[in-house]
mmCIF file of all heavy atoms in Angstrom:
data_model
loop_
_atom_site.group_PDB
_atom_site.id
_atom_site.type_symbol
_atom_site.label_atom_id
_atom_site.label_comp_id
_atom_site.label_asym_id
_atom_site.label_seq_id
_atom_site.Cartn_x
_atom_site.Cartn_y
_atom_site.Cartn_z
ATOM 1 N N MET A 1 13.017 -27.016 3.829
ATOM 2 C CA MET A 1 11.583 -27.033 4.128
ATOM 3 C C MET A 1 10.978 -28.402 3.526
ATOM 4 O O MET A 1 11.390 -28.834 2.568
ATOM 5 C CB MET A 1 10.880 -25.853 3.364
ATOM 6 C CG MET A 1 9.446 -25.789 3.633
ATOM 7 S SD MET A 1 8.797 -24.212 2.995
ATOM 8 C CE MET A 1 7.064 -24.528 3.084
ATOM 9 N N ASN A 2 10.071 -28.923 4.357
ATOM 10 C CA ASN A 2 9.444 -30.177 3.998
ATOM 11 C C ASN A 2 8.601 -29.958 2.712
ATOM 12 O O ASN A 2 7.628 -29.125 2.745
ATOM 13 C CB ASN A 2 8.566 -30.654 5.138
ATOM 14 C CG ASN A 2 8.005 -32.015 4.929
ATOM 15 O OD1 ASN A 2 7.916 -32.535 3.800
ATOM 16 N ND2 ASN A 2 7.614 -32.609 5.989
ATOM 17 N N GLU A 3 8.833 -30.688 1.692
ATOM 18 C CA GLU A 3 8.017 -30.510 0.444
ATOM 19 C C GLU A 3 6.586 -30.897 0.522
ATOM 20 O O GLU A 3 5.787 -30.456 -0.261
ATOM 21 C CB GLU A 3 8.726 -31.285 -0.676
ATOM 22 C CG GLU A 3 10.128 -30.686 -1.022
ATOM 23 C CD GLU A 3 10.741 -31.400 -2.322
ATOM 24 O OE1 GLU A 3 9.922 -32.024 -2.976
ATOM 25 O OE2 GLU A 3 11.940 -31.379 -2.325
ATOM 26 N N SER A 4 6.280 -31.656 1.545
ATOM 27 C CA SER A 4 4.845 -32.104 1.690
ATOM 28 C C SER A 4 4.091 -31.013 2.459
ATOM 29 O O SER A 4 2.803 -31.153 2.552
ATOM 30 C CB SER A 4 4.747 -33.392 2.454
ATOM 31 O OG SER A 4 5.211 -33.254 3.810
ATOM 32 N N CYS A 5 4.725 -29.965 3.039
ATOM 33 C CA CYS A 5 3.963 -28.898 3.702
ATOM 34 C C CYS A 5 3.125 -28.104 2.702
ATOM 35 O O CYS A 5 3.600 -27.782 1.657
ATOM 36 C CB CYS A 5 4.921 -28.004 4.401
ATOM 37 S SG CYS A 5 5.719 -28.733 5.815
ATOM 38 N N GLN A 6 1.888 -27.726 3.110
ATOM 39 C CA GLN A 6 1.154 -26.931 2.298
ATOM 40 C C GLN A 6 1.138 -25.498 2.866
ATOM 41 O O GLN A 6 1.057 -25.296 4.110
ATOM 42 C CB GLN A 6 -0.252 -27.384 2.185
ATOM 43 C CG GLN A 6 -0.423 -28.676 1.462
ATOM 44 C CD GLN A 6 -1.857 -29.199 1.502
ATOM 45 O OE1 GLN A 6 -2.667 -28.581 2.129
ATOM 46 N NE2 GLN A 6 -2.086 -30.223 0.661
ATOM 47 N N THR A 7 1.121 -24.422 2.069
ATOM 48 C CA THR A 7 1.091 -23.112 2.568
ATOM 49 C C THR A 7 -0.399 -22.781 3.072
ATOM 50 O O THR A 7 -1.283 -23.329 2.524
ATOM 51 C CB THR A 7 1.509 -22.096 1.485
ATOM 52 O OG1 THR A 7 1.479 -20.871 2.048
ATOM 53 C CG2 THR A 7 0.631 -22.067 0.295
ATOM 54 N N ARG A 8 -0.417 -21.977 4.038
ATOM 55 C CA ARG A 8 -1.669 -21.562 4.621
ATOM 56 C C ARG A 8 -1.967 -20.168 4.209
ATOM 57 O O ARG A 8 -3.006 -19.474 4.643
ATOM 58 C CB ARG A 8 -1.708 -21.634 6.102
ATOM 59 C CG ARG A 8 -1.546 -23.020 6.664
ATOM 60 C CD ARG A 8 -2.777 -23.828 6.409
ATOM 61 N NE ARG A 8 -2.638 -25.144 7.077
ATOM 62 C CZ ARG A 8 -3.042 -26.261 6.491
ATOM 63 N NH1 ARG A 8 -3.637 -26.289 5.373
ATOM 64 N NH2 ARG A 8 -2.810 -27.369 7.158
ATOM 65 N N ARG A 9 -1.135 -19.554 3.322
ATOM 66 C CA ARG A 9 -1.285 -18.147 2.862
ATOM 67 C C ARG A 9 -2.268 -18.059 1.738
ATOM 68 O O ARG A 9 -2.226 -18.953 0.814
ATOM 69 C CB ARG A 9 0.030 -17.502 2.531
ATOM 70 C CG ARG A 9 0.926 -17.405 3.762
ATOM 71 C CD ARG A 9 2.201 -16.771 3.388
ATOM 72 N NE ARG A 9 2.944 -16.426 4.685
ATOM 73 C CZ ARG A 9 3.435 -15.315 4.949
ATOM 74 N NH1 ARG A 9 3.240 -14.319 4.120
ATOM 75 N NH2 ARG A 9 4.016 -15.072 6.079
ATOM 76 N N MET A 10 -2.979 -16.977 1.638
ATOM 77 C CA MET A 10 -3.889 -16.763 0.532
ATOM 78 C C MET A 10 -3.149 -16.389 -0.728
ATOM 79 O O MET A 10 -2.331 -15.511 -0.769
ATOM 80 C CB MET A 10 -4.955 -15.655 0.887
ATOM 81 C CG MET A 10 -6.078 -15.558 -0.127
ATOM 82 S SD MET A 10 -7.359 -14.433 0.339
ATOM 83 C CE MET A 10 -6.544 -12.946 0.125
ATOM 84 N N HIS A 11 -3.384 -17.152 -1.839
ATOM 85 C CA HIS A 11 -2.688 -16.901 -3.142
ATOM 86 C C HIS A 11 -3.028 -15.416 -3.544
ATOM 87 O O HIS A 11 -4.173 -15.028 -3.644
ATOM 88 C CB HIS A 11 -3.208 -17.896 -4.073
ATOM 89 C CG HIS A 11 -2.549 -17.676 -5.469
ATOM 90 N ND1 HIS A 11 -1.271 -17.997 -5.690
ATOM 91 C CD2 HIS A 11 -3.010 -17.118 -6.650
ATOM 92 C CE1 HIS A 11 -0.963 -17.714 -6.927
ATOM 93 N NE2 HIS A 11 -2.020 -17.215 -7.583
ATOM 94 N N GLY A 12 -2.018 -14.698 -3.875
ATOM 95 C CA GLY A 12 -2.203 -13.411 -4.429
ATOM 96 C C GLY A 12 -2.234 -12.217 -3.384
ATOM 97 O O GLY A 12 -2.371 -11.077 -3.761
ATOM 98 N N HIS A 13 -2.291 -12.583 -2.159
ATOM 99 C CA HIS A 13 -2.378 -11.571 -1.057
ATOM 100 C C HIS A 13 -1.008 -11.009 -0.693
ATOM 101 O O HIS A 13 -0.042 -11.849 -0.522
ATOM 102 C CB HIS A 13 -3.126 -12.103 0.211
ATOM 103 C CG HIS A 13 -3.276 -11.076 1.310
ATOM 104 N ND1 HIS A 13 -4.173 -10.094 1.176
ATOM 105 C CD2 HIS A 13 -2.623 -10.977 2.469
ATOM 106 C CE1 HIS A 13 -4.034 -9.373 2.275
ATOM 107 N NE2 HIS A 13 -3.093 -9.873 3.042
ATOM 108 N N ASP A 14 -0.811 -9.750 -0.511
ATOM 109 C CA ASP A 14 0.473 -9.170 -0.132
ATOM 110 C C ASP A 14 0.526 -9.004 1.366
ATOM 111 O O ASP A 14 -0.072 -8.126 1.926
ATOM 112 C CB ASP A 14 0.585 -7.789 -0.863
ATOM 113 C CG ASP A 14 1.966 -7.169 -0.577
ATOM 114 O OD1 ASP A 14 2.746 -7.801 0.225
ATOM 115 O OD2 ASP A 14 2.140 -6.028 -0.988
ATOM 116 N N TYR A 15 1.206 -9.867 2.009
ATOM 117 C CA TYR A 15 1.201 -9.866 3.475
ATOM 118 C C TYR A 15 2.164 -8.869 4.068
ATOM 119 O O TYR A 15 2.246 -8.666 5.256
ATOM 120 C CB TYR A 15 1.605 -11.312 4.023
ATOM 121 C CG TYR A 15 0.523 -12.294 4.011
ATOM 122 C CD1 TYR A 15 0.316 -13.032 2.790
ATOM 123 C CD2 TYR A 15 -0.356 -12.438 4.975
ATOM 124 C CE1 TYR A 15 -0.724 -13.883 2.718
ATOM 125 C CE2 TYR A 15 -1.504 -13.303 4.903
ATOM 126 C CZ TYR A 15 -1.650 -14.034 3.777
ATOM 127 O OH TYR A 15 -2.670 -14.951 3.661
ATOM 128 N N ALA A 16 2.833 -8.142 3.224
ATOM 129 C CA ALA A 16 3.658 -7.004 3.564
ATOM 130 C C ALA A 16 2.959 -5.755 3.857
ATOM 131 O O ALA A 16 3.396 -4.743 4.506
ATOM 132 C CB ALA A 16 4.748 -6.745 2.549
ATOM 133 N N VAL A 17 1.616 -5.640 3.454
ATOM 134 C CA VAL A 17 0.829 -4.508 3.583
ATOM 135 C C VAL A 17 0.300 -4.490 5.057
ATOM 136 O O VAL A 17 -0.094 -5.492 5.668
ATOM 137 C CB VAL A 17 -0.381 -4.560 2.643
ATOM 138 C CG1 VAL A 17 -1.341 -3.433 2.983
ATOM 139 C CG2 VAL A 17 0.061 -4.552 1.232
ATOM 140 N N PRO A 18 0.404 -3.315 5.850
ATOM 141 C CA PRO A 18 -0.046 -3.246 7.130
ATOM 142 C C PRO A 18 -1.515 -3.591 7.254
ATOM 143 O O PRO A 18 -2.274 -3.314 6.346
ATOM 144 C CB PRO A 18 0.118 -1.826 7.539
ATOM 145 C CG PRO A 18 1.176 -1.336 6.569
ATOM 146 C CD PRO A 18 0.960 -2.022 5.303
ATOM 147 N N GLY A 19 -2.031 -4.277 8.310
ATOM 148 C CA GLY A 19 -3.323 -4.578 8.432
ATOM 149 C C GLY A 19 -3.519 -5.527 9.730
ATOM 150 O O GLY A 19 -2.630 -5.787 10.462
ATOM 151 N N THR A 20 -4.722 -6.016 9.805
ATOM 152 C CA THR A 20 -5.059 -6.894 10.933
ATOM 153 C C THR A 20 -5.187 -8.301 10.443
ATOM 154 O O THR A 20 -5.756 -8.588 9.410
ATOM 155 C CB THR A 20 -6.345 -6.516 11.596
ATOM 156 O OG1 THR A 20 -6.308 -5.141 11.978
ATOM 157 C CG2 THR A 20 -6.707 -7.341 12.781
ATOM 158 N N TYR A 21 -4.509 -9.265 11.152
ATOM 159 C CA TYR A 21 -4.549 -10.610 10.784
ATOM 160 C C TYR A 21 -5.051 -11.534 11.934
ATOM 161 O O TYR A 21 -4.744 -11.199 13.023
ATOM 162 C CB TYR A 21 -3.148 -11.089 10.389
ATOM 163 C CG TYR A 21 -2.612 -10.376 9.096
ATOM 164 C CD1 TYR A 21 -1.833 -9.227 9.199
ATOM 165 C CD2 TYR A 21 -2.941 -10.874 7.924
ATOM 166 C CE1 TYR A 21 -1.399 -8.492 8.127
ATOM 167 C CE2 TYR A 21 -2.540 -10.139 6.721
ATOM 168 C CZ TYR A 21 -1.796 -8.970 6.874
ATOM 169 O OH TYR A 21 -1.395 -8.367 5.827
ATOM 170 N N GLU A 22 -5.826 -12.541 11.576
ATOM 171 C CA GLU A 22 -6.326 -13.349 12.644
ATOM 172 C C GLU A 22 -5.647 -14.701 12.585
ATOM 173 O O GLU A 22 -5.393 -15.245 11.541
ATOM 174 C CB GLU A 22 -7.818 -13.632 12.239
ATOM 175 C CG GLU A 22 -8.527 -14.451 13.321
ATOM 176 C CD GLU A 22 -9.998 -14.562 12.979
ATOM 177 O OE1 GLU A 22 -10.651 -13.459 12.766
ATOM 178 O OE2 GLU A 22 -10.572 -15.654 13.084
ATOM 179 N N VAL A 23 -5.319 -15.157 13.771
ATOM 180 C CA VAL A 23 -4.515 -16.404 13.873
ATOM 181 C C VAL A 23 -5.388 -17.437 14.688
ATOM 182 O O VAL A 23 -5.946 -17.104 15.792
ATOM 183 C CB VAL A 23 -3.156 -16.194 14.664
ATOM 184 C CG1 VAL A 23 -2.440 -17.543 14.845
ATOM 185 C CG2 VAL A 23 -2.280 -15.195 13.847
ATOM 186 N N THR A 24 -5.517 -18.683 14.206
ATOM 187 C CA THR A 24 -6.260 -19.678 14.898
ATOM 188 C C THR A 24 -5.380 -20.802 15.313
ATOM 189 O O THR A 24 -4.529 -21.240 14.482
ATOM 190 C CB THR A 24 -7.358 -20.263 13.976
ATOM 191 O OG1 THR A 24 -8.215 -19.165 13.555
ATOM 192 C CG2 THR A 24 -8.123 -21.282 14.721
ATOM 193 N N MET A 25 -5.314 -21.116 16.602
ATOM 194 C CA MET A 25 -4.464 -22.182 17.027
ATOM 195 C C MET A 25 -5.406 -23.156 17.830
ATOM 196 O O MET A 25 -6.197 -22.789 18.677
ATOM 197 C CB MET A 25 -3.397 -21.660 17.999
ATOM 198 C CG MET A 25 -2.367 -20.810 17.371
ATOM 199 S SD MET A 25 -1.004 -20.349 18.386
ATOM 200 C CE MET A 25 -1.718 -18.886 19.140
ATOM 201 N N VAL A 26 -5.149 -24.456 17.618
ATOM 202 C CA VAL A 26 -5.936 -25.490 18.310
ATOM 203 C C VAL A 26 -4.932 -26.354 18.970
ATOM 204 O O VAL A 26 -3.913 -26.859 18.338
ATOM 205 C CB VAL A 26 -6.838 -26.290 17.296
ATOM 206 C CG1 VAL A 26 -7.527 -27.363 18.049
ATOM 207 C CG2 VAL A 26 -7.797 -25.334 16.687
ATOM 208 N N VAL A 27 -5.078 -26.737 20.252
ATOM 209 C CA VAL A 27 -4.189 -27.561 21.012
ATOM 210 C C VAL A 27 -4.933 -28.836 21.304
ATOM 211 O O VAL A 27 -6.160 -28.981 21.106
ATOM 212 C CB VAL A 27 -3.748 -26.843 22.263
ATOM 213 C CG1 VAL A 27 -2.913 -25.610 21.990
ATOM 214 C CG2 VAL A 27 -4.811 -26.497 23.164
ATOM 215 N N ALA A 28 -4.204 -29.778 21.860
ATOM 216 C CA ALA A 28 -4.687 -31.114 22.114
ATOM 217 C C ALA A 28 -5.939 -30.992 22.991
ATOM 218 O O ALA A 28 -6.041 -30.206 23.914
ATOM 219 C CB ALA A 28 -3.756 -31.938 22.927
ATOM 220 N N ARG A 29 -7.007 -31.645 22.665
ATOM 221 C CA ARG A 29 -8.269 -31.728 23.279
ATOM 222 C C ARG A 29 -8.964 -30.331 23.404
ATOM 223 O O ARG A 29 -9.750 -30.144 24.207
ATOM 224 C CB ARG A 29 -8.213 -32.373 24.615
ATOM 225 C CG ARG A 29 -7.819 -33.852 24.497
ATOM 226 C CD ARG A 29 -7.822 -34.483 25.893
ATOM 227 N NE ARG A 29 -6.723 -35.449 25.895
ATOM 228 C CZ ARG A 29 -5.641 -35.284 26.549
ATOM 229 N NH1 ARG A 29 -5.376 -34.203 27.300
ATOM 230 N NH2 ARG A 29 -4.507 -36.203 26.429
ATOM 231 N N ARG A 30 -8.546 -29.384 22.559
ATOM 232 C CA ARG A 30 -9.094 -28.063 22.540
ATOM 233 C C ARG A 30 -9.018 -27.283 23.887
ATOM 234 O O ARG A 30 -9.904 -26.550 24.177
ATOM 235 C CB ARG A 30 -10.418 -28.002 21.885
ATOM 236 C CG ARG A 30 -10.458 -28.500 20.496
ATOM 237 C CD ARG A 30 -11.832 -28.312 19.790
ATOM 238 N NE ARG A 30 -11.775 -28.736 18.444
ATOM 239 C CZ ARG A 30 -11.532 -27.949 17.393
ATOM 240 N NH1 ARG A 30 -11.210 -26.733 17.602
ATOM 241 N NH2 ARG A 30 -11.607 -28.484 16.137
ATOM 242 N N ARG A 31 -7.987 -27.610 24.691
ATOM 243 C CA ARG A 31 -7.854 -27.013 25.944
ATOM 244 C C ARG A 31 -7.586 -25.511 25.800
ATOM 245 O O ARG A 31 -6.783 -25.142 24.938
ATOM 246 C CB ARG A 31 -6.705 -27.620 26.761
ATOM 247 C CG ARG A 31 -7.079 -29.072 27.123
ATOM 248 C CD ARG A 31 -5.838 -29.789 27.740
ATOM 249 N NE ARG A 31 -5.327 -28.935 28.917
ATOM 250 C CZ ARG A 31 -4.081 -28.845 29.188
ATOM 251 N NH1 ARG A 31 -3.166 -29.497 28.614
ATOM 252 N NH2 ARG A 31 -3.634 -28.107 30.166
ATOM 253 N N PRO A 32 -8.227 -24.617 26.661
ATOM 254 C CA PRO A 32 -8.033 -23.195 26.602
ATOM 255 C C PRO A 32 -6.750 -22.752 27.252
ATOM 256 O O PRO A 32 -6.754 -22.010 28.196
ATOM 257 C CB PRO A 32 -9.230 -22.651 27.220
ATOM 258 C CG PRO A 32 -9.565 -23.692 28.282
ATOM 259 C CD PRO A 32 -9.232 -25.022 27.626
ATOM 260 N N VAL A 33 -5.599 -23.177 26.769
ATOM 261 C CA VAL A 33 -4.328 -22.831 27.388
ATOM 262 C C VAL A 33 -3.877 -21.403 27.076
ATOM 263 O O VAL A 33 -2.929 -20.971 27.773
ATOM 264 C CB VAL A 33 -3.190 -23.812 27.013
ATOM 265 C CG1 VAL A 33 -3.503 -25.235 27.374
ATOM 266 C CG2 VAL A 33 -2.955 -23.860 25.518
ATOM 267 N N PHE A 34 -4.430 -20.751 26.083
ATOM 268 C CA PHE A 34 -4.043 -19.362 25.741
ATOM 269 C C PHE A 34 -4.963 -18.302 26.421
ATOM 270 O O PHE A 34 -4.813 -17.195 26.161
ATOM 271 C CB PHE A 34 -4.044 -19.188 24.277
ATOM 272 C CG PHE A 34 -3.126 -20.184 23.516
ATOM 273 C CD1 PHE A 34 -3.562 -21.224 22.761
ATOM 274 C CD2 PHE A 34 -1.722 -19.951 23.624
ATOM 275 C CE1 PHE A 34 -2.679 -22.025 22.146
ATOM 276 C CE2 PHE A 34 -0.816 -20.869 23.001
ATOM 277 C CZ PHE A 34 -1.357 -21.895 22.226
ATOM 278 N N GLY A 35 -5.860 -18.684 27.270
ATOM 279 C CA GLY A 35 -6.793 -17.760 27.831
ATOM 280 C C GLY A 35 -8.097 -17.775 27.052
ATOM 281 O O GLY A 35 -8.493 -18.735 26.403
ATOM 282 N N LYS A 36 -8.900 -16.675 27.277
ATOM 283 C CA LYS A 36 -10.157 -16.600 26.587
ATOM 284 C C LYS A 36 -10.327 -15.128 26.095
ATOM 285 O O LYS A 36 -9.769 -14.180 26.635
ATOM 286 C CB LYS A 36 -11.276 -17.028 27.479
ATOM 287 C CG LYS A 36 -11.404 -16.093 28.751
ATOM 288 C CD LYS A 36 -12.584 -16.683 29.643
ATOM 289 C CE LYS A 36 -12.642 -15.766 30.924
ATOM 290 N NZ LYS A 36 -13.801 -16.254 31.703
ATOM 291 N N ILE A 37 -11.255 -15.014 25.144
ATOM 292 C CA ILE A 37 -11.498 -13.696 24.620
ATOM 293 C C ILE A 37 -12.582 -13.050 25.487
ATOM 294 O O ILE A 37 -13.639 -13.686 25.852
ATOM 295 C CB ILE A 37 -12.061 -13.774 23.219
ATOM 296 C CG1 ILE A 37 -10.985 -14.316 22.238
ATOM 297 C CG2 ILE A 37 -12.609 -12.443 22.673
ATOM 298 C CD1 ILE A 37 -11.430 -14.617 20.800
ATOM 299 N N VAL A 38 -12.336 -11.820 25.886
ATOM 300 C CA VAL A 38 -13.314 -11.056 26.762
ATOM 301 C C VAL A 38 -13.692 -9.903 25.966
ATOM 302 O O VAL A 38 -12.867 -9.140 25.407
ATOM 303 C CB VAL A 38 -12.592 -10.637 28.050
ATOM 304 C CG1 VAL A 38 -13.577 -9.839 28.953
ATOM 305 C CG2 VAL A 38 -12.167 -11.871 28.859
ATOM 306 N N GLY A 39 -15.008 -9.581 25.870
ATOM 307 C CA GLY A 39 -15.527 -8.447 25.184
ATOM 308 C C GLY A 39 -15.859 -8.808 23.711
ATOM 309 O O GLY A 39 -16.082 -9.880 23.440
ATOM 310 N N THR A 40 -15.765 -7.777 22.899
ATOM 311 C CA THR A 40 -16.141 -7.966 21.520
ATOM 312 C C THR A 40 -14.851 -8.161 20.591
ATOM 313 O O THR A 40 -13.838 -7.738 21.001
ATOM 314 C CB THR A 40 -16.934 -6.799 20.959
ATOM 315 O OG1 THR A 40 -17.293 -7.074 19.636
ATOM 316 C CG2 THR A 40 -16.179 -5.463 21.017
ATOM 317 N N THR A 41 -14.978 -8.836 19.550
ATOM 318 C CA THR A 41 -13.903 -9.007 18.522
ATOM 319 C C THR A 41 -14.135 -8.068 17.409
ATOM 320 O O THR A 41 -13.289 -8.047 16.536
ATOM 321 C CB THR A 41 -13.849 -10.447 18.094
ATOM 322 O OG1 THR A 41 -15.057 -10.787 17.472
ATOM 323 C CG2 THR A 41 -13.561 -11.411 19.174
ATOM 324 N N LYS A 42 -15.213 -7.221 17.349
ATOM 325 C CA LYS A 42 -15.426 -6.232 16.293
ATOM 326 C C LYS A 42 -14.590 -5.017 16.537
ATOM 327 O O LYS A 42 -14.408 -4.577 17.646
ATOM 328 C CB LYS A 42 -16.906 -5.893 16.308
ATOM 329 C CG LYS A 42 -17.859 -7.108 16.138
ATOM 330 C CD LYS A 42 -17.793 -7.612 14.694
ATOM 331 C CE LYS A 42 -18.751 -8.676 14.460
ATOM 332 N NZ LYS A 42 -18.603 -9.395 13.262
ATOM 333 N N ALA A 43 -14.118 -4.453 15.420
ATOM 334 C CA ALA A 43 -13.330 -3.182 15.480
ATOM 335 C C ALA A 43 -14.151 -2.094 16.151
ATOM 336 O O ALA A 43 -15.350 -1.978 15.844
ATOM 337 C CB ALA A 43 -12.911 -2.790 14.070
ATOM 338 N N GLY A 44 -13.517 -1.332 17.013
ATOM 339 C CA GLY A 44 -14.173 -0.226 17.530
ATOM 340 C C GLY A 44 -14.989 -0.561 18.816
ATOM 341 O O GLY A 44 -15.677 0.259 19.410
ATOM 342 N N GLY A 45 -14.913 -1.862 19.194
ATOM 343 C CA GLY A 45 -15.807 -2.253 20.306
ATOM 344 C C GLY A 45 -15.007 -2.420 21.523
ATOM 345 O O GLY A 45 -15.283 -2.560 22.632
#
């Protein structure tokens, strides 16, 4: 592993626990290559 890499994980959080996780990805020029969100992002919506 590259020693200059920084972790993006929250210190002290147990990622083995079931739950919902949000992933953010940005591509060149912020092109919408992954599609778009339709509807609500709130639970139960």
Side-chain angles (χ1 to χ4, degrees):
M1 183 172 168
N2 186 342
E3 290 183 24
S4 66
C5 290
Q6 294 180 349
T7 182
R8 299 286 186 220
R9 292 179 173 237
M10 187 170 76
H11 180 73
H13 180 74
D14 182 2
Y15 285 90
V17 175
T20 302
Y21 296 92
E22 186 174 309
V23 177
T24 302
M25 293 187 274
V26 178
V27 297
R29 295 182 219 109
R30 298 188 178 270
R31 293 177 49 215
V33 297
F34 299 109
K36 62 182 178 178
I37 296 174
V38 177
T40 181
T41 59
K42 301 288 182 190

